[in-house]
Amino acid sequence: MGPRHSVETFAKMTGDSPFGSGIGVRPTTPADTAEICDLLEHGFVGSGIAADGWRPLCTTNWLPDYPRGFVLTDGGRIVGHVGTIYVQREINGKTGIVCNHSGFYVALAYRGRGLGATLSAAAAGDERITYTSLTPAPVTQRVLDAAGWATLDRHMLLFPPGLNAETLWRSRVDIDVNDRTVRASLGQAERRIYDDHVPYDCLHMTARDADGTAYLVVKVRRSLRRVRSAGIPVSQILYCSATDVLARNLERIKLAIMRQQKTFGIAMNERLFPKAPRAIRRKDIAQYRSAVFTPNELDLLYSEFVLLDL
């Protein structure tokens, strides 16, 4: 089992007024939800996410003893935020807590004073926890670089229809997208993944060929809809248990996903393929810090990609 912290423990670790003049950092509480959502709606106006769209960051129940985020306050008013999405994972025989950071924002009047770095550090204060930042803005990247975070990804792989047509000729794969039979076919660990992600409009599917079975969790990613300014919806693969099965049957699996989600291609992290199939490479920086898991072991489950309309 990983370390356990209550919200009160985090509050003792961070305090609430280290800067003087009424400015402090503390864990979030449920009473902060409306104010946080309003802050993020205005702070990320270009995202198109309304205030209610940020609410899942504050309400997920995946690891309830941990805070949903940390806030920068000035006289009790929230002027900065970073969401923290905690979950305990078992990957390749290793167990550890993973925390995805999302919604990192500091109001303009409070920038340039090191407060963003202090807020980020408060949200990543336990060396035993694996931390990820999957969509860091350039300023966030600099903050995390300075704090010793490493690069998790440099590119996203995009697979439009037809690009991998050569796999059609050797593909003999059975694809199942029926919720009942997919869940029934999973082992205990993957059934937990299924149950935890069912509320969040994800596609669950299995692909079985003569040499193995892959379980995939997929969601439409809105921020990739403007591929070359064409307004194209793309399906993001959040998890694939067997990338070799995916690579062998890529075009058929791609077509099945596109048909189910009404998209025009799929996207996946470059790091998850030992040898990447032919794809369009798109710059897409992600960062992490971990003493437990390696980059190829970290997927997009239990992250902002699940909770938010990105």
Side-chain angles (χ1 to χ4, degrees):
M1 295 291 288
R4 292 178 61 85
H5 295 294
S6 66
V7 172
E8 291 77 11
T9 302
F10 277 102
K12 292 177 181 176
M13 292 167 58
T14 60
D16 191 29
S17 57
F19 309 108
S21 303
I23 298 177
V25 173
R26 62 169 174 81
T28 64
T29 70
D32 298 323
T33 298
E35 190 175 358
I36 289 170
C37 291
D38 287 341
L39 177 76
L40 297 180
E41 178 183 29
H42 291 93
F44 294 101
V45 64
S47 72
I49 302 177
D52 280 349
W54 293 101
R55 188 171 293 273
L57 283 183
C58 305
T59 59
T60 177
N61 197 40
W62 285 329
L63 208 55
D65 288 341
Y66 285 69
R68 299 294 170 267
F70 289 77
V71 287
L72 177 70
T73 61
D74 184 1
R77 184 168 60 96
I78 294 174
V79 296
H81 168 269
V82 57
T84 51
I85 306 165
Y86 291 92
V87 66
Q88 183 161 299
R89 298 295 304 275
E90 296 181 14
I91 305 171
N92 290 340
K94 297 182 287 188
T95 300
I97 290 175
V98 179
C99 175
N100 174 226
H101 284 189
S102 180
F104 181 33
Y105 177 76
V106 174
L108 286 172
Y110 295 85
R111 298 180 188 177
R113 299 157 60 183
L115 299 177
T118 302
L119 175 60
S120 177
D126 192 326
E127 296 291 334
R128 298 167 294 178
I129 291 176
T130 293
Y131 295 98
T132 64
S133 180
L134 302 175
T135 57
V139 64
T140 306
Q141 293 173 31
R142 293 191 291 271
V143 168
L144 299 181
D145 282 341
W149 290 42
T151 299
L152 181 62
D153 263 316
R154 295 189 182 277
H155 297 93
M156 183 71 68
L157 300 181
L158 301 178
F159 301 95
L163 185 64
N164 312 97
E166 72 279 1
T167 64
L168 288 172
W169 319 128
R170 59 178 183 267
S171 176
R172 298 291 184 272
V173 62
D174 179 26
I175 297 172
D176 187 1
V177 296
N178 180 278
D179 288 336
R180 181 180 59 81
T181 54
V182 166
R183 186 182 186 278
S185 72
L186 301 176
Q188 182 178 357
E190 288 183 337
R191 192 170 292 182
R192 177 199 170 201
I193 290 172
Y194 181 99
D195 291 341
D196 285 345
H197 289 75
V198 158
Y200 298 105
D201 193 28
C202 295
L203 170 66
H204 299 263
M205 66 186 299
T206 56
R208 179 180 295 104
D209 66 11
D211 296 310
T213 301
Y215 166 50
L216 296 92
V217 183
V218 191
K219 189 170 183 180
V220 176
R221 182 172 174 185
R222 186 170 59 84
S223 62
L224 284 178
R225 289 182 179 175
R226 295 200 172 274
V227 179
R228 297 185 179 180
S229 302
I232 301 173
V234 174
S235 295
Q236 174 84 56
I237 295 180
L238 306 177
Y239 174 78
C240 178
S241 65
T243 54
D244 59 328
V245 175
L246 174 61
R248 286 194 298 269
N249 305 281
L250 185 52
E251 195 67 25
R252 291 193 190 279
I253 294 173
K254 183 197 312 178
L255 292 172
I257 292 171
M258 290 163 49
R259 185 162 51 248
Q260 290 294 314
Q261 296 194 314
K262 297 180 173 57
T263 56
F264 292 91
I266 64 174
M268 193 169 181
N269 296 96
E270 185 177 41
R271 69 180 186 275
L272 299 182
F273 286 103
K275 182 180 179 182
R278 183 163 62 250
I280 298 171
R281 297 168 79 243
R282 176 184 182 272
K283 186 176 180 181
D284 203 61
I285 299 294
Q287 293 166 283
Y288 82 112
R289 194 187 79 199
S290 180
V292 179
F293 299 114
T294 59
N296 65 308
E297 293 175 322
L298 295 171
D299 48 52
L300 302 182
L301 296 174
Y302 301 97
S303 74
E304 60 183 353
F305 287 126
V306 177
L307 301 180
L308 303 177
D309 186 21
L310 295 174

